[in-house]
Amino acid sequence: SVPFLIRLFPVLLTKFVFLNFLAFPFFVDLRRPELLLNNTISLYLPTEPGVTVGIWHTVPGSRGAEAQGKDHRWYEEALGDAHPVIIYLHGNGGTR
């Protein structure tokens, strides 16, 4: 009966393959990455009216001691130094 249901409702296949209705890890506030990862903060950028993108900024381990106890301003200034920036976009329906 499963192939028949998928044939009738193909959207079910994408829901169960990608599981985009689940937020994982469970019971974790992803707006506070400093609780999960060292030297990480969360920034929010407005891209267009009504749309805001959340970004985690993590400095490399070599700058970890320097980042201890710094505020958001220090992390924003760290984006403008000579070190390369790696952008990784990821998310699912429950966490983006």
Side-chain angles (χ1 to χ4, degrees):
S1 66
V2 172
F4 180 72
L5 288 174
I6 290 174
R7 184 73 167 167
L8 281 177
F9 308 104
V11 72
L12 289 177
L13 183 62
T14 59
K15 291 291 183 191
F16 287 109
V17 168
F18 296 110
L19 295 176
N20 62 350
F21 53 88
L22 292 178
F24 185 80
F26 304 113
F27 309 112
V28 174
D29 185 9
L30 296 176
R31 292 171 291 188
R32 305 222 25 226
E34 63 273 6
L35 301 175
L36 301 170
L37 300 169
N38 294 332
N39 313 322
T40 303
I41 63 164
S42 187
L43 303 171
Y44 296 94
L45 301 174
T47 57
E48 57 187 55
V51 177
T52 302
V53 176
I55 298 170
W56 284 8
H57 179 210
T58 303
V59 295
S62 61
R63 296 186 72 187
E66 184 183 354
Q68 292 295 323
K70 302 293 184 181
D71 60 353
H72 279 258
R73 183 181 172 128
W74 182 87
Y75 280 88
E76 290 175 8
E77 290 173 357
L79 285 171
D81 63 9
H83 294 85
V85 174
I86 298 170
I87 298 174
Y88 174 68
L89 304 173
H90 181 269
N92 62 28
T95 59
R96 66 174 164 197

